[in-house]
Amino acid sequence: ISPCARHLIVMGKQRLQGRKDHLRIAFVHPDLGIGGAERLIVDAAVGLQSLRHSVQLFTSHHSRNHCFVETIDGTLPSVTVVGDWLPTKFLSKGYIFFAALRGLLLALWLVLFGPDVDVFVVDQLSYWVPILKLKAPVLFYCHFPDKLLV
């Protein structure tokens, strides 16, 4: 088990509150397509699920035509999309602005209406972290190519 996963389990076990030895883990990713960061998220989720933890993925965009098969074949039973109705850009501009807006909506939805979780695993966009910490501890992973976004 990786040091990152070990840290995640330690963080979450503090919130088990008398339940068995499994955690409710929410992975939060801005756009669940096909790429290195997405592969890492999917593999981590599948790995933690194989250790009997309850895993859910939350994103602001997930296309069934451009994604890893584990997100649509039932391997990962829950991929929830929030905010996909917002545009990605306006007049070919504002991509970062709309990505931030979609992420903000997703984070607020998770805190206000999302399921109870023991820990959030967040990557790429760090501005979600203070919002999500209102509900549960957060493990932030910075995907190396995105380090300048943090």
Side-chain angles (χ1 to χ4, degrees):
I1 187 168
S2 74
C4 184
R6 189 172 290 115
H7 180 69
L8 173 70
I9 291 168
V10 168
M11 284 173 51
K13 281 189 178 180
Q14 296 167 0
R15 295 178 52 94
L16 282 174
Q17 301 169 349
R19 287 181 280 124
K20 295 275 186 204
D21 200 23
H22 78 277
L23 299 174
R24 299 167 299 181
I25 303 168
F27 284 84
V28 185
H29 188 79
D31 184 339
L32 203 55
I34 297 179
E38 292 79 11
R39 180 78 266 166
L40 179 122
I41 290 297
V42 169
D43 287 347
V46 169
L48 288 166
Q49 185 174 271
S50 73
L51 295 173
R52 299 181 329 174
H53 298 291
S54 173
V55 174
Q56 293 178 286
L57 275 70
F58 296 91
T59 184
S60 57
H61 180 73
H62 180 247
S63 170
R64 295 180 64 83
N65 298 323
H66 185 74
C67 64
F68 290 110
V69 70
E70 295 92 338
T71 65
I72 57 173
D73 72 354
T75 302
L76 293 170
S78 178
V79 176
T80 302
V81 180
V82 176
D84 201 20
W85 52 271
L86 284 169
T88 56
K89 56 190 168 204
F90 181 71
L91 299 175
S92 300
K93 298 191 188 287
Y95 183 81
I96 297 296
F97 171 77
F98 284 109
L101 186 61
R102 290 160 67 119
L104 177 63
L105 179 66
L106 175 59
L108 290 172
W109 183 88
L110 281 165
V111 169
L112 298 174
F113 307 110
D116 288 332
V117 298
D118 296 311
V119 65
F120 288 107
V121 178
V122 177
D123 77 323
Q124 290 188 335
L125 302 175
S126 62
Y127 70 90
W128 302 354
V129 171
I131 297 168
L132 294 173
K133 284 176 90 172
L134 295 171
K135 188 165 191 166
V138 175
L139 176 69
F140 177 70
Y141 165 77
C142 181
H143 185 65
F144 183 75
D146 300 316
K147 69 181 178 180
L148 297 177
L149 291 174
V150 176

